[in-house]
Amino acid sequence: LFTDIRSFTTISEKMNAQELVGLLNEYFTEMVGIVMNEDGVVDKYIGDAIMALYNVPLEAPDHAMRAVRTALEFQERVRPLAERFAARHGGQLACGVGIHTGDAVVGTIGSEQRLEYTAIGDTINLGSRLEGLSKVYGVDIVVSETTRKLAPDFAWQELDRVRVKGKEQAVAIFWPVAPQERLEKATTDELKTWAAFLKAYRAQDWDQCDVLMLNLQRMNAKKYLYELYSERVASMRLLPFDPDWDGATNFETK
């Protein structure tokens, strides 16, 4: 799991060093407490980012569920922090989260002068990339399909199939909507319509996309994801039908 503060550079420009350290200490204290409550391990701080591991050093069969619960709790706990921050500095405070599940090399790694317990490998790299994609899709949490399959107690909205920089294989990414038991009928209907839209989108049926998007925007007019895909459809209908297109979005930057 990776999380960082949105627009941290912009925020830091408005604060002196003492205020900035105070903000980070307060933020890290809240977030790290949530990770530890779910038996996660805080691997490191990377500037304003936190890297956390689950299922190590002791096995936890429900590790994916724990990571998703952590991400959702982050969003709940950051709200009062954001209110205090806005009162003091007049800005907005928010965090993005990326989660991926897979094999990694975990252990003591480093130099002869300094060692640290950490994890490395493709799984870790993708988790970091997914956190960055949360900004692109206008959501606070992005989860890989591998994690989603291991967290069935949540309802999910598929965001896209993406091919991140450095990877040839596309992966499906998702946003956790809510625990299944809290899902309302209106949200269920919206998710069904969205699934139909993605099917039409990947079939390059742009007319059907327009019809379904109109319904989606009536259901949730403020959702940035729908605005993003409306613009994509408008651009892609100008291109010829491509039988080799796999429906994935390629990202050339980290």
Side-chain angles (χ1 to χ4, degrees):
L1 178 150
F2 284 84
T3 183
D4 75 357
I5 298 174
R6 294 277 176 82
S7 303
F8 182 72
T9 301
T10 302
I11 290 173
S12 63
E13 290 175 347
K14 300 177 181 179
M15 307 173 71
N16 61 43
Q18 185 175 2
E19 290 172 331
L20 190 59
V21 170
L23 168 66
L24 285 175
N25 287 344
E26 186 177 11
Y27 173 78
F28 284 149
T29 298
E30 289 284 347
M31 301 299 112
V32 169
I34 298 167
V35 173
M36 295 178 69
N37 286 342
E38 292 291 350
D39 293 331
V41 173
V42 174
D43 180 275
K44 60 173 65 73
Y45 303 111
I46 312 167
D48 62 301
I50 300 171
M51 173 181 165
L53 307 174
Y54 296 77
N55 204 38
V56 293
L58 302 177
E59 292 187 7
D62 60 343
H63 55 86
M65 293 288 293
R66 292 175 181 272
V68 175
R69 285 200 301 263
T70 298
L72 292 169
E73 184 66 18
F74 277 173
Q75 304 306 330
E76 290 294 324
R77 296 279 280 277
V78 83
R79 289 186 187 124
L81 283 176
E83 291 174 1
R84 293 197 292 274
F85 178 80
R88 296 172 192 164
H89 306 286
Q92 294 183 340
L93 181 68
C95 68
V97 183
I99 306 173
H100 179 48
T101 304
D103 293 332
V105 178
V106 183
T108 304
I109 301 171
S111 65
E112 293 182 357
Q113 294 86 356
R114 185 176 184 275
L115 298 170
E116 66 175 9
Y117 182 82
T118 189
I120 60 173
D122 184 63
T123 293
I124 309 303
N125 295 338
L126 183 54
S128 177
R129 300 286 189 275
L130 297 186
E131 186 282 318
L133 290 181
S134 65
K135 305 168 190 174
V136 176
Y137 292 89
V139 295
D140 48 14
I141 303 167
V142 173
V143 170
S144 71
E145 184 170 17
T146 313
T147 303
R148 179 195 66 85
K149 289 179 177 178
L150 295 173
D153 290 354
F154 297 94
W156 299 91
Q157 182 170 33
E158 184 176 357
L159 301 172
D160 203 352
R161 294 182 69 248
V162 300
R163 193 174 286 105
V164 299
K165 183 177 176 61
K167 288 185 66 68
E168 295 183 1
Q169 186 175 356
V171 296
I173 57 173
F174 298 81
W175 172 64
V177 178
Q180 289 282 4
E181 70 271 12
R182 298 185 196 170
L183 200 63
E184 299 178 354
K185 183 181 182 304
T187 305
T188 301
D189 292 342
E190 182 182 340
L191 292 177
K192 288 179 179 178
T193 304
W194 174 248
F197 171 86
L198 281 184
K199 183 177 180 180
Y201 176 79
R202 289 164 182 164
Q204 302 175 66
D205 186 348
W206 310 128
D207 290 340
Q208 180 68 0
C209 283
D210 286 342
V211 172
L212 292 167
M213 181 54 67
L214 184 61
N215 291 333
L216 286 166
Q217 290 176 330
R218 286 171 178 167
M219 295 174 180
N220 196 334
K222 296 181 179 180
K223 196 156 195 173
Y224 175 76
L225 181 66
Y226 300 157
E227 180 183 337
L228 173 68
Y229 271 89
S230 291
E231 293 175 356
R232 283 187 181 180
V233 169
S235 297
M236 295 182 73
R237 68 161 57 249
L238 301 176
L239 303 174
F241 181 85
D242 183 357
D244 298 323
W245 184 54
D246 63 0
T249 303
N250 298 322
F251 289 91
E252 301 300 330
T253 59
K254 295 181 180 180

